[in-house]
Amino acid sequence: STGVVKMQPKAEELKFVTKNDGYVHIHPSSVNYQTRHFESPYLVYHEKIKTSRVFIRDCSMVSVYPLVLLGGGQVHMQLQKGEFVISLDDGWIRFVAASHQVAELVKELRCELDQLLQDKIKNPSMDLCVCPRGSRIIGMIVKLVTTQ
């Protein structure tokens, strides 16, 4: 019998897209250089350099919920072609939510987390694990991230 088996890309062929630089590659000195498959298509990185092409170093894969909850910029939700889309960074990063309810809950959880962090900045001695509101928000985030 014959058939086609999809092969993972070679390390030097794997590329990602950034908003400002277009395609970037993982630097050969990076620990993740030989990683040919990531569970999530999103990476965060510490350093970006340009030699023969643009490379990123010190990168880690990040899954959807931590990116939505801890990523920069405002979270927006809209209905597009019958699907509820959560977007970050003025629509550059987009996710399809399972339902309107899930999209609203994630957006609300992000707003609550942002407010909690603002409260912590105003009152650095506040213990977020002891504070009832803080412990509920943190508990919900931990549950969401660990069970996704």
Side-chain angles (χ1 to χ4, degrees):
S1 93
T2 62
V4 177
V5 176
K6 184 176 180 180
M7 295 180 60
Q8 297 291 339
K10 295 178 184 171
E12 62 273 3
E13 297 171 341
L14 190 63
K15 55 189 172 185
F16 296 86
V17 180
T18 65
K19 186 176 182 180
N20 298 325
D21 298 296
Y23 289 112
V24 297
H25 302 267
I26 298 176
H27 195 274
S29 68
S30 175
V31 174
N32 285 326
Y33 180 69
Q34 293 298 326
T35 304
R36 295 168 43 178
H37 174 74
F38 294 92
E39 293 295 318
S40 171
Y42 302 101
L43 297 180
V44 293
Y45 60 89
H46 180 288
E47 185 178 31
K48 181 172 53 174
I49 58 171
K50 183 174 184 177
T51 55
S52 58
R53 53 188 173 179
V54 180
F55 291 99
I56 56 173
R57 285 199 285 216
D58 304 324
C59 60
S60 295
M61 184 201 75
V62 63
S63 54
V64 174
Y65 287 126
L67 186 59
V68 171
L69 294 172
L70 301 169
Q74 294 294 315
V75 175
H76 299 283
M77 188 198 64
Q78 55 191 340
L79 180 63
Q80 292 182 343
K81 299 180 182 176
E83 295 182 315
F84 293 97
V85 177
I86 300 171
S87 63
L88 299 168
D89 200 12
D90 298 324
W92 195 76
I93 300 173
R94 302 158 51 94
F95 311 99
V96 175
S99 68
H100 180 259
Q101 183 180 15
V102 169
E104 285 291 342
L105 288 172
V106 169
K107 184 178 176 183
E108 186 62 31
L109 186 57
R110 168 64 187 265
C111 290
E112 288 291 329
L113 177 61
D114 287 348
Q115 184 58 54
L116 183 65
L117 293 175
Q118 287 296 326
D119 293 347
K120 176 67 174 172
I121 290 168
K122 289 177 187 171
N123 182 6
S125 64
M126 180 172 76
D127 187 344
L128 297 178
C129 295
V130 174
C131 158
R133 181 172 162 261
S135 64
R136 281 194 317 268
I137 293 169
I138 292 169
M140 186 61 113
I141 291 170
V142 168
K143 185 176 181 180
L144 180 67
V145 170
T146 57
T147 60
Q148 70 172 349

